[in-house]
Amino acid sequence: MREILIQNAQLVNEGQIVQKDLLIRGSKIEKISDHITPMGNEERIDATGLHMLPGWIDDQVHFREPGLTHKATIATESRAAVAGGITSFIEMPNTQPQTTTQKALDDKLNIAAQTSIANYGFLFGGTNDNLEEIKSFDNTKAAGLKLFLGSSTGNMLVDDEEVLKKIFSSTDLPIAVHCEDETTIKANLAQHLAQYGEHIPIEKHPEIRSEQACYLSSSRAIELAKSTGARLHVFHLSTAIETELFSNDKPLAEKKITAEVCVHHLWFSEEDYAEKGTLIKWNPAVKKATDREALWKALNEDKIDILATDHAPHTMEEKQNSYTKAPSGGPLVQHAFPALLTAVKQGKISLEKLVEKTSHNPAILFRIQNRGFLRPGYYADLVLVDLQKKYTVNQEDILYKCGWSPFEGTPFEATIEKTFVNGNLVYDEGKIIESALGKKLCFDR
Ligand code: DOR
């Protein structure tokens, strides 16, 4: 079996940074030690000066396949992901058709098996009328259930209170929710349309998709989880006030209510709308700098458990429409890690805490087997990063099918050097290596 010995890397794992050698055998980590004596047959990589992190398990991406492949495909975006140090992804159900039936889920698993260079998993979508499918589908095949409690790309709003209660009561899977109160959004939008007509300034986006809309919806979802005993995971927090809804009194494995924050809500603030316009139109909206600070604080205090991208590509043509027509979302998987490593260098979070939120915690929350940690016997999903090498996002390097990035021109303080998925080197200093495809994520349940 093929062996690769990575020497002298600074391993960032389980709260520590220590210099170690790591031996890969086949798809798994064989050994981690202060010094591993080469046997002669293995390939050797000298990682002196580099940090080795377990690959990011991104629990929220939109790869648009099937049905929206003019924006992106699992093939293109999984390659952008590994270039960005993301070795596994969990993809969302708002494709066409929506992933709300067993067949649609099987079809996606098949597409990924044939085209994804990263490891893959999917969320099953809940709607107002697929309760029977939710009860009967093979839940070993999905990472969890996704519910849109606020409308966004793909018309998947679940707004029937009775149905919601039944869904929350009828599954043991983690239920991941998009929380924005629809009634509040509609009222805010009507008011802005009356004032501005079609040409609402983008700066008004956080007033329409407001703090109040987020807070109302998140608190309602939490109430429902408490009353039904469901395992709730609230996606993409964007406001300071929502962080108060979450606690840090238990280790993650014992929590029944958890939260996620995405890179764009940690990087941008409403001050950036003037320069970036609709390119940074997201649902939920990027809000105030004070919200951003509170999100960093809650992340560091473990009230927020997981970091994700919510990678949601749209074409430049679509994004350049006026406020009401431009879709929300933007591509992020290739550049989110360099952005967060830059935040590490700026002192916003420690490297150890970052790895906990990107790799360890998604594995714990979704009970992903043998991934998310640097441990012998675990899959060798690894990233080598250079924290001294600066990197500026530029057009030519972009691997997203949509061909643009909200970070274009942004100088980052760190570079992803190499990415291994299941022991295979799939990204090496700017190049995708087509050595092997990714594997399906398996869940302990
Ligand atoms: O901004 C967003 N874009 N938020 C979502 O919830 C969906 C996503 C998309 O699919 O475009």
Side-chain angles (χ1 to χ4, degrees), residues 62 64 94 148 152-153 178 236 282-283 310 312 314 328-329:
H62 302 263
R64 308 300 192 200
N94 58 338
F148 283 87
S152 197
T153 308
H178 176 129
H236 44 44
W282 271 284
N283 299 338
D310 193 9
H314 298 283
S328 293

Side-chain angles (χ1 to χ4, degrees), residues 32-182:
I32 301 172
S33 182
D34 290 346
H35 177 72
I36 299 174
T37 309
M39 302 298 285
N41 303 331
E42 64 281 271
E43 290 165 47
R44 255 180 269 173
I45 294 173
D46 181 9
T48 304
L50 302 180
H51 285 77
M52 183 194 290
L53 282 48
W56 187 342
I57 301 173
D58 187 353
D59 81 345
Q60 193 188 177
V61 303
H62 302 263
F63 283 178
R64 308 300 192 200
E65 194 172 2
L68 297 163
T69 52
H70 68 287
K71 296 178 197 276
T73 66
I74 291 176
T76 55
E77 307 314 275
S78 65
R79 279 157 183 78
V82 298
I86 292 168
T87 51
S88 300
F89 63 83
I90 297 177
E91 208 265 349
M92 298 300 110
N94 58 338
T95 43
Q96 287 176 9
Q98 296 168 347
T99 320
T100 52
T101 62
Q102 180 76 56
K103 175 167 182 329
L105 179 63
D106 286 341
D107 287 349
K108 261 194 186 178
L109 284 162
N110 285 338
I111 298 169
Q114 287 163 36
T115 65
S116 180
I117 199 165
N119 305 312
Y120 50 89
F122 297 96
L123 292 190
F124 194 77
T127 66
N128 280 330
D129 44 36
N130 75 335
L131 184 64
E132 289 314 311
E133 290 275 358
I134 291 172
K135 285 184 179 162
S136 63
F137 87 98
D138 175 359
N139 70 15
T140 61
K141 289 192 176 173
L145 196 64
K146 165 85 184 269
L147 302 177
F148 283 87
L149 306 185
S151 62
S152 197
T153 308
N155 298 323
M156 289 194 71
L157 179 67
V158 192
D159 58 356
D160 182 324
E161 287 296 325
E162 280 311 303
V163 170
L164 268 181
K165 215 177 278 172
K166 284 186 187 146
I167 294 177
F168 270 60
S169 312
S170 60
T171 181
D172 297 333
L173 288 174
I175 301 177
V177 284
H178 176 129
C179 286
E180 288 184 287
D181 181 61
E182 195 62 16

